[in-house]
Amino acid sequence: MTPAQAIGALDRQLAKHGQTVTLRKGNTTVGQAVVKAFVRGVTADDLTADITQTAKKVTLSPTGLDAFGLPGANTIVKHADGQGGIIGMPEIIRLNDIVVRINMVIKG
C-alpha cells in the first residue's frame, strides 16, 4: 500500500463515518482547522493515571492540516460531545516517511 492509498482509504472512511472536529492551537480560534475524525471512548486497557474513563481516542487524517500543521501537546480538540486537550503527544503514523494517520488521546 502506498502512502497516497492509505490516506485515501482513511479519508473515504472519515467522510462516511467520521464526525467533525475543530483543532485549535491553545486557547485561540486563529488558525484553527475543521476536519473529520473518528472519536471513540477509551477501553479498560487504555486507562492509566493520566487517562481516565472520560478520555476519548481521536483518529484523523493529515488531509486538511497543511496550514494548521500536525497537532501537538498544546492542541485542543473540540468535538460533538465537548472538548479536551491532548494527553501526551499524538502518535504520528508514517508510511515511507509520509504522515498517513494521526492518533491521539484527549481529556473528556
Side-chain angles (χ1 to χ4, degrees):
M1 176 176 278
T2 68
Q5 290 170 323
I7 293 168
L10 178 58
D11 287 346
R12 285 188 297 278
Q13 290 302 310
L14 288 171
K16 286 183 183 179
H17 308 290
Q19 71 179 32
T20 302
V21 298
T22 303
L23 304 175
R24 292 183 178 162
K25 291 183 179 180
N27 198 17
T28 179
T29 60
V30 176
Q32 68 184 15
V34 178
V35 296
K36 291 284 191 170
F38 293 127
V39 180
R40 307 227 180 343
V42 295
T43 65
D45 292 338
D46 298 320
L47 300 180
T48 66
D50 293 333
I51 301 173
T52 65
Q53 289 178 328
T54 61
K56 304 281 185 198
K57 286 191 225 180
V58 178
T59 299
L60 44 106
S61 168
T63 302
L65 295 180
D66 292 336
F68 184 83
L70 293 176
N74 66 335
T75 302
I76 295 172
V77 181
K78 187 171 182 161
H79 56 92
D81 299 325
Q83 73 179 25
I86 295 176
I87 299 171
M89 288 297 292
E91 176 187 26
I92 308 297
I93 308 296
R94 291 179 171 85
L95 284 178
N96 201 23
D97 296 327
I98 296 172
V99 176
V100 296
R101 176 184 296 248
I102 301 146
N103 296 324
M104 51 194 163
V105 177
I106 64 170
K107 298 174 186 173

